[in-house]
Amino acid sequence: MVLLSELHLDALSEVFNVGAGRAAASLSEIVGDEVKLSVPSVEIRKSSDIDLSQMGMHGDRFGAVHQTFTGSFEAEAILLFTEDHALEIVRDMMGSQISIEDLAEFEQEAMCELGNIILNACLSAMADMLNIPMNCSLPDYNIATTEEIFRRISDDFHQPYLLLLHIDLAIEKRHTEGHLIFLLSSTSLQDLIQQLERFLGEI
């Protein structure tokens, strides 16, 4: 299996930064303030070699938004923020007048909406720029420990490759880091490479 080259990763970075720009514009409307969202790094790893600490995933518990998507290739997407940061994002989305005690009531709905915005923006950018069809499932949200995330990733023999995106999210003066993980089968990774080759050949 040939993994993605630097040229492939550069092309994906361009695609996802376009998606991040779209997501930031949508989030800015929701929170009523400027939102900056960027994807400074994209990499591909084998799930069997993954080390969550090396990914900068520091924290015991994460808010995880899951979506599956189909089209020219299939994958599962997992958007991760530390639990504390997830609650901060929810408060920004719901308005600062919401008390910390009341946040839990809105957490699932708000995080699903956040995940839906970011994932759909990224995938729509991929669909537009690579000129491929993409369909998404509805998102679901849960709180997961580092061990649960690692187990879910490393135990999925049908999707042995991970496409990892580090995310910088800034709302007002608050800065949050997140991670977007795509679980890919060998076939899906090959399909993605073919689409990127076609895209690069048309530039």
Side-chain angles (χ1 to χ4, degrees):
M1 168 63 66
V2 178
L3 299 184
L4 275 67
S5 67
E6 287 299 318
L7 193 59
H8 294 140
L9 292 174
D10 286 344
L12 277 176
S13 293
E14 179 182 349
V15 167
F16 284 118
N17 271 308
V18 169
R22 294 179 182 180
S26 296
L27 290 172
S28 294
E29 293 183 10
I30 292 175
V31 301
D33 210 316
E34 182 182 14
V35 175
K36 295 181 179 179
L37 184 67
S38 63
V39 181
S41 64
V42 179
E43 59 181 317
I44 188 80
R45 298 265 192 95
K46 288 186 176 180
S47 56
S48 57
D49 299 334
I50 200 65
D51 184 334
L52 296 182
S53 63
Q54 291 180 357
M55 290 169 53
M57 289 179 58
H58 306 299
D60 296 326
R61 291 162 61 85
F62 290 84
V65 181
H66 303 263
Q67 272 187 305
T68 56
F69 65 91
T70 57
S72 294
F73 60 94
E74 299 180 359
E76 178 184 359
I78 307 173
L79 178 66
L80 298 169
F81 290 98
T82 62
E83 186 177 17
D84 288 345
H85 285 165
L87 286 173
E88 291 173 355
I89 294 169
V90 170
R91 188 170 189 178
D92 287 330
M93 292 177 70
M94 301 302 299
S96 57
Q97 71 275 11
I98 300 294
S99 68
I100 294 294
E101 292 75 18
D102 292 335
L103 283 180
E105 180 181 348
F106 301 103
E107 181 178 358
Q108 177 148 350
E109 180 180 352
M111 288 304 295
C112 281
E113 179 66 14
L114 175 71
N116 201 43
I117 290 170
I118 293 177
L119 291 170
N120 279 341
C122 289
L123 295 177
S124 68
M126 182 181 291
D128 292 345
M129 295 179 72
L130 300 185
N131 194 26
I132 56 177
M134 302 288 289
N135 299 298
C136 293
S137 68
L138 293 174
D140 67 87
Y141 174 73
N142 68 295
I143 298 294
T145 64
T146 305
E147 291 74 20
E148 288 169 340
I149 295 167
F150 177 79
R151 187 163 57 246
R152 177 167 185 167
I153 291 172
S154 59
D155 288 351
D156 193 337
F157 300 108
H158 300 293
Q159 296 175 307
Y161 294 94
L162 304 178
L163 181 64
L164 307 174
L165 285 71
H166 180 80
I167 294 173
D168 281 338
L169 174 64
I171 303 176
E172 299 183 32
K173 297 180 180 179
R174 195 192 315 283
H175 177 257
T176 301
E177 295 182 353
H179 302 273
L180 180 52
I181 303 175
F182 291 95
L183 282 63
L184 299 166
S185 67
S186 299
T187 301
S188 291
L189 180 58
Q190 287 284 31
D191 291 342
L192 175 59
I193 291 173
Q194 289 177 6
Q195 298 296 342
L196 289 171
E197 289 284 358
R198 184 177 56 79
F199 170 70
L200 291 167
E202 293 173 353
I203 294 177

